[in-house]
Amino acid sequence: MSHANANLQDAPMLPPPAPLPMPVQALSQPGKADVAPPSSPGSMGLRRAVVFGGTALLTLLATYQIWWVLRSHGTDLLEGLLLVLFVALFAWIALSFISALAGFVLVLTRRPQRLGLDDNGALPTLASRTALLMPTYNEDPDRLLAGLQAIYESVAATGQLQQFDFFVLSDTTREDIGQAEQAAFQALRQRVGNDSQLFYRRRDDNSERKAGNIAEWVRRFGGAYPQMLILDADSLMTGDSIVRLAAAMESNPDVALIQTLPTIVNGQTFFARMQQFAGRVYGPVVAHGVAWWHGAESNYWGHNAIIRTQAFAAHAGLPTLAGRKPFAGTVLSHDFVEAALLRRGGWALHMVPGLSGSYEEGPPSLTDMLVRDRRWCQGNLQHGGVVHAKGLHWINRVHLMIGIGHYFTAPMWAMLMLLGLAIPLYQRASAGEQAQAAFSPMQYWQGDDPQRFLWVFVFTMSVLLAPKLMGYLATMTQAQTRRGCGGAVRALISMLMETLLAALMAPVTMYRQSRSVAEVLAGKDSGWETQRRDDGTLPLSSLIRGYGGLTLCGVLAAGMAYAVSPMLAAWMAPVILGLLLAIPLHMLTSSVRVGRALQRAGLLRTPEEVNPPDVIARASQLRLRAANRPSID
């Protein structure tokens, strides 16, 4: 070993302490959220009136039409319940539609970024120091640190490396992985030849999970860094974007947090490529729209965001929630709550979806997405204990309620579909009529005004699917992005493929989310599992255990529907097919081989795949090198 490498091995793993008090916040204390920060965009009242007013008008229009369909037979209790569910769910999709419409206009008009952020401007010179924090929990150390090295080298290429320190914050519980982390970290220091800006800390007690991991760092070292940039284990960011974010914090002293829009990359399986394509094509329209009406009350997604350390320490100390588990205890979905508390403290929070250079990876299979979703479900339902907190800005309360509503919409859609089926069957049975071979619920709902029923159906589906179409059209207006997505024809085929498969997987997702809500309400904890990153395959035995029951439900539903009427079976076909094909669809979409075949065909393609930015290409190169390195027993 060289003398330089020996010095690196002996170097301390952490910098000198720089304590920063971070008191736990009481939910009952008042705040300053009623004062608009200086960086708040103008006309926020008008913007929000357009969004919520437009949502209300669309919902009122659809409600009147469905009420007119129902009134022809008189409205009983079941139909009244169906009307209530329809109104709530239509309002949900109408809000998404109006937000996406605003984003569509913004993307087409190419408005300047807020906070002085400009991808094409000269790179600012920084005066302050920023800590990059990468929390980890039982992750593959080589894969993790390959990503960190790629970020480190990208920051170094800006010529401003001296303004940044890099921390690996480990909550790893497995001793073998913990030891491998330390060895891989020392190897990283040797590769880059730097022991004064790369640090590693492993907690003995990983209380409060990721939020506790970050808070412990703030209390020990936060005083030395005006800003901290939070990463996930799968995050990648360019040095250019990191420098610009730090400069925006320096020039906007009222801002506590800037959230980027991470682009999903490195998808290998069919499912991961679907998520990657959807995020790249639909995501910008949706994100620009919500950023437009969020203003300085933006949300926080927990990673790929820069935060003012002093503001975070002063206002974002999370309390332990009272009540019964799993609602009580540690705040799981901490990011929404931290954002609300920062805004309550008088600070501004902004989303900047137009800033490039921010990336993350998606789950490789439906199962992996649902495992993560189960944890998010519990965390979001926990927000029921926070939404009433004193002093919160009303938009932050909306964020919390949207997070809660996201999971309750699944059982609500299920109830709406079941009522749409049960009401015609009940009315026919009540009338003493015999089942006919041509019986279909559509006959009942068309009633005396089939055109109105058709209009309601088409209008609802248009509002539901329009954000996808707007995302596609916006992509087609950008020549480089259009080519990166395979051109107009391949991108259209990809959009139709993604929409079809998402629809087929919707019954499984709806069931699992409904079950997650029931489990949370029954007090069952989600646990904390390590996420898989690349391989989404599962043995057939696991698929049968996980999805065999749904397949059996599909068989029974098909048989019973056909016994009543072939037309009824046809009416239920979208749901029945999703249940029957649960296992084959999982096998198909979790396959890397199918994903690569689609890549060769130019389908579900993204610009970052065709021409990977340097930070992505470097991370992939380092991970491949680590995977091919001989293991030492």
Side-chain angles (χ1 to χ4, degrees), residues 414-475:
M415 291 171 63
L416 184 69
M417 289 191 297
L418 290 173
L419 284 170
L421 175 64
I423 289 172
L425 291 172
Y426 173 75
Q427 294 293 347
R428 178 171 289 272
S430 298
E433 301 178 29
Q434 298 296 317
Q436 300 175 3
F439 169 71
S440 168
M442 185 177 291
Q443 294 174 328
Y444 174 84
W445 291 118
Q446 286 180 331
D448 301 324
D449 196 348
Q451 289 78 19
R452 191 181 298 272
F453 172 79
L454 180 62
W455 186 92
V456 171
F457 176 78
V458 171
F459 183 55
T460 302
M461 295 305 296
S462 299
V463 171
L464 180 64
L465 297 176
K468 292 178 183 280
L469 180 59
M470 287 188 279
Y472 170 78
L473 293 175
T475 299

Side-chain angles (χ1 to χ4, degrees), residues 275-342:
Q275 299 281 302
Q276 185 172 281
F277 176 84
R280 189 63 173 87
V281 174
Y282 320 142
V285 162
V286 175
H288 277 85
V290 297
W292 181 73
W293 64 267
H294 285 181
E297 288 76 41
S298 249
N299 217 341
Y300 171 39
W301 296 338
H303 59 92
N304 292 48
I306 193 165
I307 301 174
R308 193 174 302 277
T309 315
Q310 183 69 49
F312 191 83
H315 300 288
L318 295 178
T320 299
L321 299 181
R324 67 178 183 86
K325 287 186 176 294
F327 297 103
T330 298
V331 177
L332 299 183
S333 293
H334 56 93
D335 38 16
F336 281 38
V337 180
E338 289 162 345
L341 294 176
L342 284 169

Side-chain angles (χ1 to χ4, degrees), residues 143-219:
R143 194 182 195 287
L144 175 85
L145 294 178
L148 185 61
Q149 181 176 342
I151 297 171
Y152 174 94
E153 292 174 355
S154 185
V155 172
T158 68
Q160 300 194 59
L161 181 64
Q162 72 280 2
Q163 302 301 128
F164 297 91
D165 284 348
F166 301 77
F167 290 79
V168 177
L169 304 180
S170 175
D171 261 347
T172 291
T173 55
R174 289 178 50 183
E175 190 56 37
D176 57 331
I177 296 180
Q179 292 179 7
E181 279 176 358
Q182 295 186 42
F185 176 76
Q186 292 290 7
L188 170 61
R189 275 184 163 183
Q190 292 176 20
R191 287 196 301 272
V192 302
N194 189 336
D195 67 344
S196 62
Q197 291 174 267
L198 285 163
F199 303 104
Y200 173 88
R201 187 270 286 131
R202 182 181 174 198
R203 286 202 298 170
D204 295 327
D205 172 21
N206 59 4
S207 59
E208 299 183 72
R209 304 187 185 184
K210 181 180 176 180
N213 196 356
I214 299 296
E216 194 269 354
W217 178 89
V218 170
R219 292 180 174 115

Side-chain angles (χ1 to χ4, degrees), residues 36-341:
S39 63
S40 181
S43 305
M44 288 310 303
L46 178 60
R47 296 184 188 190
R48 289 162 181 168
V50 168
V51 170
F52 291 103
T55 299
L57 286 174
L58 287 178
T59 304
L60 184 61
L61 177 61
T63 301
Y64 176 76
Q65 298 299 327
I66 195 68
W67 172 78
W68 194 268
V69 170
L70 291 172
R71 69 184 288 275
S72 62
H73 298 284
T75 305
D76 59 18
L77 178 62
L78 290 179
E79 289 176 334
L81 179 57
L82 182 142
L83 180 62
V84 170
L85 288 170
F86 177 85
V87 171
L89 291 169
F90 192 92
W92 182 264
I93 63 173
L95 177 61
S96 298
F97 169 80
I98 295 293
S99 293
L101 182 60
F104 181 63
V105 173
L106 291 170
V107 171
L108 292 185
T109 55
R110 294 175 171 81
R111 300 289 181 86
Q113 288 274 21
R114 64 180 70 168
L115 305 180
L117 288 163
D118 181 4
D119 280 336
N120 301 316
L123 198 63
T125 299
L126 300 177
S128 61
R129 293 180 57 74
T130 301
L132 276 71
L133 310 183
M134 181 170 274
T136 180
Y137 175 75
N138 292 333
E139 298 278 351
D140 177 350
D142 289 327
R143 194 182 195 287
L144 175 85
L145 294 178
L148 185 61
Q149 181 176 342
I151 297 171
Y152 174 94
E153 292 174 355
S154 185
V155 172
T158 68
Q160 300 194 59
L161 181 64
Q162 72 280 2
Q163 302 301 128
F164 297 91
D165 284 348
F166 301 77
F167 290 79
V168 177
L169 304 180
S170 175
D171 261 347
T172 291
T173 55
R174 289 178 50 183
E175 190 56 37
D176 57 331
I177 296 180
Q179 292 179 7
E181 279 176 358
Q182 295 186 42
F185 176 76
Q186 292 290 7
L188 170 61
R189 275 184 163 183
Q190 292 176 20
R191 287 196 301 272
V192 302
N194 189 336
D195 67 344
S196 62
Q197 291 174 267
L198 285 163
F199 303 104
Y200 173 88
R201 187 270 286 131
R202 182 181 174 198
R203 286 202 298 170
D204 295 327
D205 172 21
N206 59 4
S207 59
E208 299 183 72
R209 304 187 185 184
K210 181 180 176 180
N213 196 356
I214 299 296
E216 194 269 354
W217 178 89
V218 170
R219 292 180 174 115
R220 288 181 66 186
F221 305 105
Y225 303 94
Q227 296 90 224
M228 56 181 180
L229 190 141
I230 311 298
L231 302 165
D232 253 358
D234 61 353
S235 294
L236 291 170
M237 293 187 72
T238 64
D240 185 278
S241 66
I242 291 170
V243 169
R244 293 184 191 280
L245 286 169
M249 296 296 279
E250 290 181 354
S251 59
N252 295 276
D254 68 309
V255 174
L257 185 147
I258 306 174
Q259 174 67 63
T260 66
L261 173 63
T263 300
I264 302 175
V265 296
N266 292 333
Q268 300 296 316
T269 66
F270 189 174
F271 184 85
R273 289 178 61 77
M274 284 174 54
Q275 299 281 302
Q276 185 172 281
F277 176 84
R280 189 63 173 87
V281 174
Y282 320 142
V285 162
V286 175
H288 277 85
V290 297
W292 181 73
W293 64 267
H294 285 181
E297 288 76 41
S298 249
N299 217 341
Y300 171 39
W301 296 338
H303 59 92
N304 292 48
I306 193 165
I307 301 174
R308 193 174 302 277
T309 315
Q310 183 69 49
F312 191 83
H315 300 288
L318 295 178
T320 299
L321 299 181
R324 67 178 183 86
K325 287 186 176 294
F327 297 103
T330 298
V331 177
L332 299 183
S333 293
H334 56 93
D335 38 16
F336 281 38
V337 180
E338 289 162 345
L341 294 176

